[in-house]
Amino acid sequence: MTLTLPFDTSYARLPAQMYSFVDPTPVSKPALIKLNSPLAQSLGLDATSLRTEDGVAFLAGNSSADGATPLAQAYAGHQFGQWNPQLGDGRAVLLGEIVAPNGHRFDVQLKGAGRTPYSRMGDGRAWLGPVLREYIVSEAMFALGVPTTRALAAVTTGDPVYRDAILPGAILTRVASSHIRVGTFQYFAARQDIEALRALTDHVVTRHYPHCNGLADLLRSVVARQAKLIAKWTSIGFIHGVMNTDNMAISGETIDYGPCAFLDEYDAGKVFSSIDRQGRYAYGNQPRIGVWNLAQFATALVPLADDQAAAVEEFTQIINEFADIYDSERRTIFAAKLGLNASSETSEALAEGLLRLMAQYGADFTLTFAALANGKIPPDFESSPEFSAWEREWRAHNPDLELMCRTNPQIIPRNHQIERVIQVGVKGDFKPFEALLDAVTSPFTPLTPDTAPFAAPPEPQQRVTQTFCGT
Ligand code: AMP
Ligand code: MG
């Protein structure tokens, strides 16, 4: 039996060179790890039927749904600054788009669903580790109020995946406003395929920026969304880890949770990813890379302009607006993190002062703000006269602790906790995954005896110093 899902895949109506129709490759023994029932419900899908054998077969790519036209999208991208003209969905298949009861259109994609025409040398599969990581981190990001793709389900496949070791295969069902990337535009611009470039642009305007009129307007809106997104990352200590242009979504959602990680101790130069040897995607470098990526987006739009020389000038100016939007957003959020209603020179000086002390003491980023919100002295500053002086000055501005509690998470997905749930998940025990997921998806709730262990920073021997792309 096949499920009936209300797919309406507008991408499949775009010019044929933009994608390849391809079915997921069946797997041996699908088993459900987790279904995100609230998300299913918000999409208008029946969670109960997704949990049945037919539902799990569908989530593993073993059976199709009526009306589905599965496809892999073509895209290109700059990876660590190096141009790659041919990437594309090498291990992901878009099952289709669904218009949710709230009227918003969403992609439903299987990640790890087998080979596609874009797989190059890859096997088209994912192993369990990155699937659990993306599930946990993307759902935590959503709970933290950060625009992001979501996780609808995770299944194990029953098939081995060959990496450095033999590992259990898994598939994530990812939901996104769309999977259109900067690299999608680059792909057609590089081929001088104006037909596809124009169709893609019109599609993006209709789908994500219906109020935009013209290329400059579109670019300005995309720049603003990315600037605000990256300011949010900064405010919670999130490091994406692989901000290649193919991993930057035009919708303004965080996408592609590979070697991502959260700061434990505050350090603007922090890098976790094993493949980021130059620190290109370091925590403090993310706004600069955002600008770099958006400049590639602007470049890809130029061929569509009537007057290309004038467009280059205008687009350059728009890209330069990123810094002000980012700064203003960051200042506003950091003022709120300190319980101050509006940003001002004072709030900025207080934020800078605290960050300086945090860097000097190696203080935990999340726990410092969480403790302040809870009216406590942050653990790393217990006997610091410098901190006491800062605190006196800060308290003189009557911080609003309720605002702080709404703004500063008590808990984030810590790298060492994610590693731990992956290690036991590989052995078939998903209880720690569930417990961690529960804790990090209620980040602003006061800690309980059940959730408190997940909020703790790593012991020296638990410290994660490197994350791996995990493909
Ligand atoms: P990522 O590093 O996950 O952003 O992927 C970069 C590119 O490599 C994308 O085109 C992916 O589809 C492709 N890719 C990553 N892993 C695999 C895999 N196991 N099999 C095929 N393609 C892959
Ligand atoms: Mg990617």
Side-chain angles (χ1 to χ4, degrees), residues 263-287:
L263 289 179
D264 292 306
E265 78 282 0
Y266 177 72
D267 169 6
K270 194 76 191 170
V271 175
F272 286 102
S273 167
S274 63
I275 52 173
D276 189 2
R277 293 193 189 87
Q278 318 271 322
R280 179 178 170 92
Y281 302 141
Y283 169 74
N285 214 31
Q286 297 184 121

Side-chain angles (χ1 to χ4, degrees), residues 75 79 86-92 111 115 118-126 163 181 242 244 246-247 256 469 471:
Y75 55 84
Q79 301 180 301
Q86 179 70 61
L87 293 166
D89 289 332
R91 57 168 164 162
K111 189 169 173 181
R115 302 194 82 242
Y118 311 109
S119 296
R120 296 170 291 159
M121 304 301 282
D123 60 1
R125 293 299 184 189
R163 299 290 181 262
R181 307 140 191 272
V242 59
N244 295 335
D246 52 302
N247 290 337
D256 273 1
C469 208
T471 51

Side-chain angles (χ1 to χ4, degrees), residues 64-138:
S64 166
D66 280 341
T69 46
L71 61 86
Q73 294 177 337
Y75 55 84
H78 280 93
Q79 301 180 301
F80 292 91
Q82 296 292 317
W83 171 241
N84 190 333
Q86 179 70 61
L87 293 166
D89 289 332
R91 57 168 164 162
V93 172
L94 175 69
L95 295 177
E97 299 161 23
I98 285 179
V99 179
N102 69 3
H104 293 289
R105 177 177 291 273
F106 291 98
D107 277 7
V108 179
Q109 188 200 62
L110 296 185
K111 189 169 173 181
R115 302 194 82 242
T116 77
Y118 311 109
S119 296
R120 296 170 291 159
M121 304 301 282
D123 60 1
R125 293 299 184 189
W127 74 275
L128 181 64
V131 167
L132 295 183
R133 178 186 296 273
E134 176 155 348
Y135 199 120
I136 293 165
V137 182
S138 65

Side-chain angles (χ1 to χ4, degrees), residues 129 132-134 136-137 260-262 413-423 436:
L132 295 183
R133 178 186 296 273
E134 176 155 348
I136 293 165
V137 182
C260 63
F262 282 79
R414 301 250 177 198
N415 312 322
H416 68 291
Q417 298 287 5
I418 296 174
E419 292 296 334
R420 192 180 57 89
V421 306
I422 292 173
Q423 271 171 27
L436 178 60

Side-chain angles (χ1 to χ4, degrees), residues 161 251 356 380:
V161 170
S251 65
R356 230 183 348 262
D380 297 302

